Amino acid sequence: MARRKKADWKKGPKSSKAWNDNRTDIISPEQMRNVNFEKYYKAQQIVPDEEWDAFMGRLRVPLPTTFRVAGFRETATVLNDLIKTTYIPTLSNEVDGEEVQPPAQLPWYPDGLAWQFNVSKQVLRKNPDFKRFHSFLVFETEIGNISRQEAVSMLPPLLLDVQPHHVVLDMCAAPGSKTAQLLEALHTPSPTSTTAIPPGLVLANDSDHKRTHLLIHQSARLPSPSLLVTNLDASIFPAIRVGAECVGGSKGTGTKQLLFDRILCDVPCSGDGTLRKNVGIWLKWGVGDGNGLHSLQLRILQRAMRLLKPGGRIVYSTCSLNPIENEAVVAAALRSNPNFTLLPTSTSLPSLQRRPGLTTWTPAFFSSGSRELQFFKTYEEYVSALGEKEEKKYTESMWPPKESEEDLTKCMRIYPHLQDTGGFFIAVLERKPHVPRDPKKREADPAPSEPATKKPKLEEEEEEEDAILEDAVCAEAVSTPSAVNQDEKPKEDSNPHPPDKKGKRKQLEETGGTFKENPYTFLAPDDPIVKACIEKLHLNPSFPSHNLFVRNPSGEPARSLYLTNDIVRSVILHNDYNKIRLMTAGTKLFVKQSTGDGDEKFRILSEGLPVVFPFVEPETVMDADLAVLRGLLEVYHPLCESFPQPFRDAIVARPSGCHVLKFGAEKNDAGSLTHELVLPIWKSSVSLSLMIDKKAKSALSLRVFGQDVTTAGREAASNQKVKTISNSAGAEAKEAEADEVVIVQEDPDQAVDNMDGT
Ligand SMILES: C[S@@+](CC[C@H](N)C(=O)[O-])C[C@H]1O[C@@H](n2cnc3c(N)ncnc32)[C@H](O)[C@@H]1O
């Protein structure tokens, strides 16, 4: 996926507007031409001649809207069923004589959780059923249950095949649509793990500091104790240390480098596969974009190869059509590391239309002083065409391999005309399982004679190089938590000043210099705050309280408590969070709630409830029904006395503080709840508050009662009525009114989320 222009993603389209996107209003269809683009890709023969017109034609048509039902499996399935059974049957194929394409499931996406539709603004505005569906999408997007994402962008995480126990690295992760998919996969129920706290981890990284904040915001919607977010250059991503027990060793036997089971390299690219969405690319596309990115892309992939476990898998992807950014990178990376092989992709996701990777291509450049694109069949041809004083700007790795050791047709290319999507490229690389070398054979091996970059690295050499990197990042400045178990503290004798090899230490120090995040301090299980949370929130003894931490500058009383799993805890304990630029870890579970009477208690955050719920003593969970839910939604602080029996007596008898309510599936004239639901409430002396945010309340109300019964929703509806009356004077005003219907549901703070679809 291409990195979006700063202004573009930062300002972001208003969320509901983005659901109506029609990017052809930015440039006219006549401007959707680029002579060099056509010349370049025709020369590369990326599609057969007879498909060229269909390919180019489709690039000029706006992309249909695609979205994914996001979230952990159970919730996603419930919401998906709601779309299928409640909304789709009401949507017609024809509106005012215009043929429309109601949403259809993408046939290749597992469990039918991804959808595509192509409906004009007019239909969304005029047709009440489409309008209702549109409102539903807007609300659910705002609270993170639906992610608007380009269809092709959903592919890489599927091909990575993440399991709950996997250690996963997402090297270029912001704004985080694929990280969300990786987390969902990690939290998929399995026979060996609970969905709430999987044993593996997802480390999401991006070198752009601002974009890591988007990533954090996006992934906060999938509360996961297994998440880490770092802000590092992926091409020099450091070795991460963990306690030996996390990687198969025994506890107390020191630390080891963490190698990854799965790595996603969704690298920065020229992004010309997104032309249908980012139409500005028509005006500025140049061959230099891809040529200029090749070397960074290769360095990122090569670094990923060094961080992968034997038998592990890397997915390399771009939303570029350019072989220099795709097959050339993959071929060069494979050539530099014979421990890797390409996995065939042609049998995965059988209903996906795809084309094989290219085996040959011809790099092209503008040579100095010329406005003509020049193609060079071989590297030697390019070098001999250089003027006397001209520098060699390009590397041999951009040319196709002379004799192909690896079959590049195993890569996957997606073109817009195949199934009405964007363009995309994917390669799946596997590291061969580790076979211990025969020491006798090793002695007999001749000394390697190839240049360093091409030299196949031995397992042992890799350890050595990683040790250099790892020294640079680990141990010496671990946040010194007051209550860390002694045996988990880094060893006193670890060398705080390793030799400054290859300038890597310097680079890390440079990047670490501006890093200003609060430390991560684990609390002892007998810490008074931890004990109070466990007692007051009725958590059973299996709750992993040793993994609770706070992020206050030392000495301040804790306001929020976060939870990790064991492996994330180990990463935090054995690496300097400043050096690995650790932006966030785990998930926030408990926050302090002031009661007004000087007493301070902690409450469970609604986002954290799915993680905590399995540990809440069942007898302390209160049963409630749709009437109670409606009461909690309609008023901000309903009186306990206002609720129907038997809930009224039950809640009156409870002490003030945080309580968890469980709503069973129920259907009556007022509404329908198709699945069990648990929600946190806060009881003050005489009233209750439902502890979920305003937008989540509205979305829940729409889902259960078919209308927004919340105070905010009623106010918005009455404001709308006033606007409608005052605007009803003329035709022009009516058009404005139609816009208002859409805009009234927006929250500018949330607008950027979920909108980067690639
Ligand atoms: C294609 S986008 C990633 C999209 C993301 N995977 C998603 O699905 O939302 C590429 C990302 O790479 C980041 N990036 C660029 N150079 C990088 C580097 N050297 N190391 C790490 N990230 C880098 C950019 O900031 C950008 O967010």
Side-chain angles (χ1 to χ4, degrees), residues 11 102 163 234 249 330 445 494 526 626 677 703 732:
K11 269 209 247 145
Q163 310 290 323
V330 172
D445 276 350
S494 58
D526 62 355
L626 283 187
L677 181 71
R703 234 182 284 148
E732 231 177 77

mmCIF file of all heavy atoms in Angstrom, residues 11 102 163 234 249 330 445 494 526 626 677 703 732:
data_model
loop_
_atom_site.group_PDB
_atom_site.id
_atom_site.type_symbol
_atom_site.label_atom_id
_atom_site.label_comp_id
_atom_site.label_asym_id
_atom_site.label_seq_id
_atom_site.Cartn_x
_atom_site.Cartn_y
_atom_site.Cartn_z
ATOM 1 N N LYS A 11 -5.765 15.121 7.603
ATOM 2 C CA LYS A 11 -7.072 15.772 7.595
ATOM 3 C C LYS A 11 -8.139 14.700 7.514
ATOM 4 O O LYS A 11 -9.119 14.719 8.225
ATOM 5 C CB LYS A 11 -7.173 16.684 6.375
ATOM 6 C CG LYS A 11 -6.714 18.104 6.664
ATOM 7 C CD LYS A 11 -7.445 19.042 5.776
ATOM 8 C CE LYS A 11 -6.612 19.735 4.769
ATOM 9 N NZ LYS A 11 -7.146 20.007 3.517
ATOM 10 N N PRO A 102 -26.354 -3.845 -4.668
ATOM 11 C CA PRO A 102 -26.322 -3.882 -3.199
ATOM 12 C C PRO A 102 -25.071 -4.626 -2.734
ATOM 13 O O PRO A 102 -24.427 -5.321 -3.519
ATOM 14 C CB PRO A 102 -27.581 -4.649 -2.816
ATOM 15 C CG PRO A 102 -28.312 -4.908 -4.063
ATOM 16 C CD PRO A 102 -27.405 -4.690 -5.214
ATOM 17 N N GLN A 163 -1.326 -17.752 13.704
ATOM 18 C CA GLN A 163 -1.973 -18.588 14.738
ATOM 19 C C GLN A 163 -1.782 -17.910 16.107
ATOM 20 O O GLN A 163 -0.828 -17.142 16.275
ATOM 21 C CB GLN A 163 -1.305 -19.971 14.790
ATOM 22 C CG GLN A 163 -1.162 -20.671 13.458
ATOM 23 C CD GLN A 163 -2.497 -21.121 12.899
ATOM 24 O OE1 GLN A 163 -3.361 -21.540 13.650
ATOM 25 N NE2 GLN A 163 -2.665 -21.003 11.587
ATOM 26 N N ALA A 234 12.561 0.101 9.840
ATOM 27 C CA ALA A 234 12.479 -1.355 9.691
ATOM 28 C C ALA A 234 13.747 -1.937 9.067
ATOM 29 O O ALA A 234 14.080 -3.094 9.307
ATOM 30 C CB ALA A 234 11.266 -1.719 8.849
ATOM 31 N N GLY A 249 13.611 -22.048 26.389
ATOM 32 C CA GLY A 249 14.630 -22.309 27.406
ATOM 33 C C GLY A 249 13.992 -22.408 28.781
ATOM 34 O O GLY A 249 12.774 -22.312 28.924
ATOM 35 N N VAL A 330 12.153 -9.169 -4.503
ATOM 36 C CA VAL A 330 12.045 -10.549 -4.006
ATOM 37 C C VAL A 330 13.206 -11.392 -4.549
ATOM 38 O O VAL A 330 13.862 -12.130 -3.799
ATOM 39 C CB VAL A 330 10.671 -11.147 -4.410
ATOM 40 C CG1 VAL A 330 10.605 -12.627 -4.084
ATOM 41 C CG2 VAL A 330 9.546 -10.395 -3.708
ATOM 42 N N ASP A 445 34.422 -26.782 4.307
ATOM 43 C CA ASP A 445 33.862 -25.756 3.411
ATOM 44 C C ASP A 445 34.925 -24.752 2.996
ATOM 45 O O ASP A 445 35.708 -24.286 3.823
ATOM 46 C CB ASP A 445 32.740 -24.983 4.134
ATOM 47 C CG ASP A 445 31.431 -25.726 4.037
ATOM 48 O OD1 ASP A 445 31.373 -26.697 3.263
ATOM 49 O OD2 ASP A 445 30.487 -25.339 4.748
ATOM 50 N N SER A 494 25.656 -7.263 31.967
ATOM 51 C CA SER A 494 25.471 -7.078 30.520
ATOM 52 C C SER A 494 26.173 -5.778 30.114
ATOM 53 O O SER A 494 26.091 -4.771 30.785
ATOM 54 C CB SER A 494 23.989 -7.028 30.161
ATOM 55 O OG SER A 494 23.390 -5.999 30.853
ATOM 56 N N ASP A 526 1.299 -8.049 45.167
ATOM 57 C CA ASP A 526 0.774 -7.607 46.469
ATOM 58 C C ASP A 526 0.713 -6.082 46.583
ATOM 59 O O ASP A 526 0.513 -5.538 47.662
ATOM 60 C CB ASP A 526 1.605 -8.211 47.611
ATOM 61 C CG ASP A 526 3.064 -7.757 47.550
ATOM 62 O OD1 ASP A 526 3.427 -7.058 46.567
ATOM 63 O OD2 ASP A 526 3.829 -8.098 48.468
ATOM 64 N N LEU A 626 -33.522 -6.334 28.047
ATOM 65 C CA LEU A 626 -33.602 -5.217 27.096
ATOM 66 C C LEU A 626 -34.174 -3.953 27.730
ATOM 67 O O LEU A 626 -33.787 -2.846 27.373
ATOM 68 C CB LEU A 626 -34.451 -5.618 25.888
ATOM 69 C CG LEU A 626 -33.789 -6.533 24.855
ATOM 70 C CD1 LEU A 626 -34.678 -6.703 23.624
ATOM 71 C CD2 LEU A 626 -32.441 -5.963 24.420
ATOM 72 N N LEU A 677 -24.421 -10.215 25.631
ATOM 73 C CA LEU A 677 -23.661 -8.961 25.654
ATOM 74 C C LEU A 677 -23.255 -8.671 27.095
ATOM 75 O O LEU A 677 -24.075 -8.834 28.004
ATOM 76 C CB LEU A 677 -24.610 -7.861 25.149
ATOM 77 C CG LEU A 677 -24.133 -6.442 25.022
ATOM 78 C CD1 LEU A 677 -23.156 -6.337 23.852
ATOM 79 C CD2 LEU A 677 -25.327 -5.519 24.741
ATOM 80 N N ARG A 703 -28.465 -0.922 16.673
ATOM 81 C CA ARG A 703 -28.413 -2.367 16.437
ATOM 82 C C ARG A 703 -29.556 -3.083 17.141
ATOM 83 O O ARG A 703 -30.198 -3.950 16.594
ATOM 84 C CB ARG A 703 -27.085 -2.905 16.981
ATOM 85 C CG ARG A 703 -26.274 -3.691 15.982
ATOM 86 C CD ARG A 703 -25.027 -4.218 16.647
ATOM 87 N NE ARG A 703 -24.007 -3.210 16.847
ATOM 88 C CZ ARG A 703 -23.155 -3.206 17.873
ATOM 89 N NH1 ARG A 703 -23.205 -4.133 18.799
ATOM 90 N NH2 ARG A 703 -22.244 -2.269 17.968
ATOM 91 N N GLU A 732 -32.153 24.404 -3.701
ATOM 92 C CA GLU A 732 -30.742 24.432 -3.314
ATOM 93 C C GLU A 732 -30.583 24.028 -1.847
ATOM 94 O O GLU A 732 -29.720 23.244 -1.480
ATOM 95 C CB GLU A 732 -30.222 25.851 -3.477
ATOM 96 C CG GLU A 732 -28.955 25.896 -4.290
ATOM 97 C CD GLU A 732 -28.516 27.310 -4.490
ATOM 98 O OE1 GLU A 732 -27.959 27.869 -3.544
ATOM 99 O OE2 GLU A 732 -28.774 27.847 -5.580
#
